[in-house]
Amino acid sequence: MEKLTKEQFLEGQILLIDKPLTWSSFQAVNKIKYTLIKNLDLPKRFKIGHAGTLDPLATGLLIICTGKFTKRLSELQGQIKEYTGTITVGATTPSYDLETEINETFPTTHITAELIEQIKKQFIGTIEQFPPIFSAIKKDGKRLYEHARKGEEIEIQSRKIEISEFEITRIELPEIDFRVVCSKGTYIRSLAYDFGKALKSGAHLTALRRTKIGNFSVDNAVEPLDFEKIYKLDL
């Protein structure tokens, strides 16, 4: 990564960050923000933001914009995204991933590679998807996960999403690796849960990595701690 000046960041930059596992997107933005404040003497209220949240249990591409490029955040959020990950069949969790404990188990002996490839076709194109109850979508003024953690019953509306590519890259049951290209608003956790139901079993997401947003690739991204090393003041 080329080292930029204070003036360049204030004017506007697009930064490609590889978010580590267990970090929130907010934590990643804050690390970049305070690295720049401390080492380049940027004002504490300079403009900075990210284009699309990644769950703490996901890794990969987080686009961070500064200065006038923050005006492009909505445009960048709307671009198609590519993910890779692992679906584990035979069990579900309330959050559809590893954030919560397994709540139900299901048979898997009937699941074959042929069945997986056949069912996969149902998820390509425009489909209806229900967001997970453990998500940041607002309902009645509160985030869905706030309702979920209180055990409150809440009606969730489905939404139309577009999956243009869905490739199975490894089958080693109970694990199924995949690559998916999808529209804004797609929940890969919901895709994993729905895929398990379609297999007449259950499933949850056990690994997720965002690899692309539009033409931006995680191959060109840098981790927050490496970014900090680049901009650390010379002693």
Side-chain angles (χ1 to χ4, degrees), residues 67-113:
K68 69 180 181 184
F69 280 79
T70 54
K71 293 177 181 177
R72 292 188 59 192
L73 288 174
S74 293
E75 169 210 332
L76 293 167
Q77 276 182 301
Q79 296 193 13
I80 63 166
K81 298 172 180 69
E82 179 187 81
Y83 296 90
T84 60
T86 302
I87 295 169
T88 297
V89 295
T92 56
T93 72
S95 60
Y96 301 172
D97 65 2
L98 293 174
E99 185 186 338
T100 53
E101 298 292 323
I102 288 170
N103 61 349
E104 201 170 352
T105 57
F106 301 84
T108 60
T109 51
H110 65 285
I111 298 175
T112 62

Side-chain angles (χ1 to χ4, degrees), residues 17-32:
I17 300 301
D18 188 350
K19 188 192 80 64
L21 188 67
T22 74
W23 284 49
S24 70
S25 298
F26 180 76
Q27 283 176 304
V29 172
N30 264 0
K31 170 58 78 174
I32 302 305

Side-chain angles (χ1 to χ4, degrees), residues 206-218:
T206 49
L208 184 65
R209 182 163 176 78
R210 185 158 67 196
T211 47
K212 289 182 182 177
I213 299 175
N215 293 322
F216 297 100
S217 171
V218 74

Side-chain angles (χ1 to χ4, degrees), residues 96-144:
Y96 301 172
D97 65 2
L98 293 174
E99 185 186 338
T100 53
E101 298 292 323
I102 288 170
N103 61 349
E104 201 170 352
T105 57
F106 301 84
T108 60
T109 51
H110 65 285
I111 298 175
T112 62
E114 291 74 22
L115 179 62
I116 290 167
E117 288 293 340
Q118 180 186 339
I119 295 298
K120 177 195 78 174
K121 296 172 186 174
Q122 298 177 18
F123 294 90
I124 298 174
T126 301
I127 63 172
E128 292 277 342
Q129 185 185 75
F130 286 93
I133 184 66
F134 280 81
S135 65
I137 294 170
K138 280 193 173 180
K139 174 83 173 179
D140 301 331
K142 289 199 296 187
R143 306 285 186 185
L144 287 184

